[in-house]
Amino acid sequence: MRRSIRLKFIPTLFSILALGLLVVTGCSSNSPTWLTPASTNAAMVTNLFNLIFGVSVVVFVIVEVLLVYSVLRFRRKSNDEMPTQIHGNSRLEIAWTLAPAIVLVIVFAFTLQTLNAIEETPANALKVKVTGYQWWWAAEYPELGVTTASELHVPVNQAVSFTLESKDVIHSFWVPELGGKRDVVPGKVNTTWFRPTKVGTFYGQCAEFCGVAHANMRFAIIVETQEDFNKWVGDQKKDPAAPVSDLAKQGEQEFLKGICIACHTVNGTVAKGVAGPNLTHLSSRKTFAGGTIVLNKDNLKAWLKDPQALKPGNLMEAGKTIPRLTNAQINALAEYLSGLK
Ligand code: CUA
C-alpha cells in the first residue's frame, strides 16, 4: 500500500521538476532582471531587497527548526498519558510579539531611508522627455535638440531624469536593471530618474497592459561613456546625408510623395509627421517597430510589405492605412531608409 503511493508520486515529481526547468530556462540573457542593478537607485532597491530577504531567511530557518523539533520531540507516542496542559505564558507571548515588531521597525527604517534617497532628482540631471504611444516609445532631449525612438542613449555616471507622458492609454516605463517602474498616464506628467553605473545596453519593457501589442512595446537604454554619448548627440543633430544611389533617391521620392510623411519625420525634408517614430536617424538604431525587430534591409522590406504580419495591431496596415506597395517601391524605400544614419 505504502509502496504504491510512493510510485504514484513519481510522475508528479517529474512534472514539477520539468516545469521548474522550463521556468528557469525562460529567463534568457535578454530578459533583464533587477537582481543585477546597473544604476545607483536600482542598487539601493536591490540592497534593500537583499536585507529583507536575508532577515526573512533567518526568521524562516528559526521558525522551521523549532517547528520540526517540536513535531518530532513532542509527537504522540503509543501509550502516552495526557501531557501537561498549559494556558498561556506572558513572557513568551510578549517576546514573540516584540521580536517581529522590532524586525519590522528595522525594515521600515531602511525602506524609508531608501525611498528618501531615490526620491530627489539631482539638479544637474540630463533631461529626457519620454512619450508612450501604442506601441512604441518616443524620446526627446529638449536641452540637446535630439529626438529618437525606442533606443535611448545616456552617459554613464550621469543622473538622467525622465518626464513620462502618454499619447493614448496607460503604459509603464520599466528598465529592471536601471530602475523604474513608473506608470505613464495620459493627461499627467510623471517623473523618474536614475544614475547608470555600468556601460552597456539595458532592455526595458512596457509594464502595463496597453492593448494587443503590449508585449511588443519594448525599448533599450544604451549607457555609454560621455565621449561616445557626445558623438551620438552630434550625429543625431545633423540632418541625414542625401541619398547617393539611384535606388535610394527613388526611395526618397516614394517616401516624400507618399503617405509616410503624414506620420513620420525626417529632418531636413518635408516629412514632419509626429504620429509615428521619428525616422531621421533610423539606421543608427539596432531595432525598429518598438524595439522588437532587428533593423536590416530584409526586415525593412518585410515590414513595408506587411507590417501587420510582423507586429499585429500597429497603425500601418497595407491596403488600409497605407497603400499596398509594389516590390519595386519596397526595394527603393528600404534602400532609402537604411541609408538614414
Ligand atoms: Cu504600453 Cu503596455
Side-chain angles (χ1 to χ4, degrees), residues 135 171 206 208-210 214 217:
W135 289 275
H171 304 279
C206 176
E208 178 71 35
F209 180 70
C210 55
H214 155 70
M217 188 167 170

Side-chain angles (χ1 to χ4, degrees), residues 93-151:
E93 281 165 24
I94 290 172
W96 72 48
T97 306
L98 265 186
I102 292 169
V103 170
L104 286 181
V105 166
I106 294 172
V107 165
F108 182 64
F110 277 106
T111 305
L112 273 190
Q113 188 211 23
T114 306
L115 280 174
N116 206 33
I118 62 179
E119 172 66 28
E120 201 68 32
T121 308
N124 65 345
L126 169 71
K127 291 186 180 61
V128 185
K129 181 186 166 198
V130 169
T131 309
Y133 291 75
Q134 283 173 314
W135 289 275
W136 59 281
W137 299 92
E140 284 167 59
Y141 298 66
E143 294 156 327
L144 305 173
V146 167
T147 301
T148 186
S150 299
E151 288 177 19

Side-chain angles (χ1 to χ4, degrees), residues 58-72:
V58 171
V59 171
F60 177 80
V61 169
I62 292 173
V63 170
E64 289 306 304
V65 165
L66 287 176
L67 184 69
V68 171
Y69 171 79
S70 307
V71 165
L72 294 178

Side-chain angles (χ1 to χ4, degrees), residues 57-270:
V57 167
V58 171
V59 171
F60 177 80
V61 169
I62 292 173
V63 170
E64 289 306 304
V65 165
L66 287 176
L67 184 69
V68 171
Y69 171 79
S70 307
V71 165
L72 294 178
R73 174 77 176 73
F74 303 109
R75 73 185 186 280
R76 177 159 190 195
K77 290 160 201 122
S78 53
N79 306 323
D80 262 1
E81 70 266 31
M82 184 66 125
T84 328
Q85 298 297 297
I86 299 167
H87 297 281
N89 181 324
S90 303
R91 261 197 225 162
L92 258 182
E93 281 165 24
I94 290 172
W96 72 48
T97 306
L98 265 186
I102 292 169
V103 170
L104 286 181
V105 166
I106 294 172
V107 165
F108 182 64
F110 277 106
T111 305
L112 273 190
Q113 188 211 23
T114 306
L115 280 174
N116 206 33
I118 62 179
E119 172 66 28
E120 201 68 32
T121 308
N124 65 345
L126 169 71
K127 291 186 180 61
V128 185
K129 181 186 166 198
V130 169
T131 309
Y133 291 75
Q134 283 173 314
W135 289 275
W136 59 281
W137 299 92
E140 284 167 59
Y141 298 66
E143 294 156 327
L144 305 173
V146 167
T147 301
T148 186
S150 299
E151 288 177 19
L152 291 70
H153 290 238
V154 297
V156 70
N157 295 326
Q158 155 77 47
V160 189
S161 78
F162 299 88
T163 58
L164 307 167
E165 293 176 41
S166 169
K167 272 281 185 285
D168 35 54
V169 299
I170 302 177
H171 304 279
S172 188
F173 183 80
W174 190 32
V175 195
E177 286 153 301
L178 296 176
K181 97 185 44 143
R182 190 66 38 107
D183 276 6
V184 183
V185 182
K188 190 170 169 16
V189 182
N190 278 346
T191 59
T192 188
W193 76 277
F194 47 70
R195 189 193 307 275
T197 49
K198 289 179 197 162
V199 168
T201 300
F202 302 97
Y203 294 97
Q205 163 75 48
C206 176
E208 178 71 35
F209 180 70
C210 55
V212 63
H214 155 70
N216 286 329
M217 188 167 170
R218 295 186 220 152
F219 59 105
I221 297 206
I222 296 146
V223 180
E224 50 200 5
T225 60
Q226 186 71 46
E227 201 183 0
D228 287 348
F229 176 74
N230 292 346
K231 183 177 179 309
W232 177 78
V233 171
D235 290 345
Q236 296 287 308
K237 282 169 85 113
K238 288 180 207 146
D239 288 346
V244 186
S245 71
D246 286 345
L247 191 58
K249 278 183 195 157
Q250 192 193 325
E252 184 184 38
Q253 279 172 15
E254 291 289 350
F255 185 87
L256 296 178
K257 75 168 201 272
I259 199 167
C260 316
I261 61 171
C263 296
H264 295 289
T265 291
V266 175
N267 291 352
T269 73
V270 295

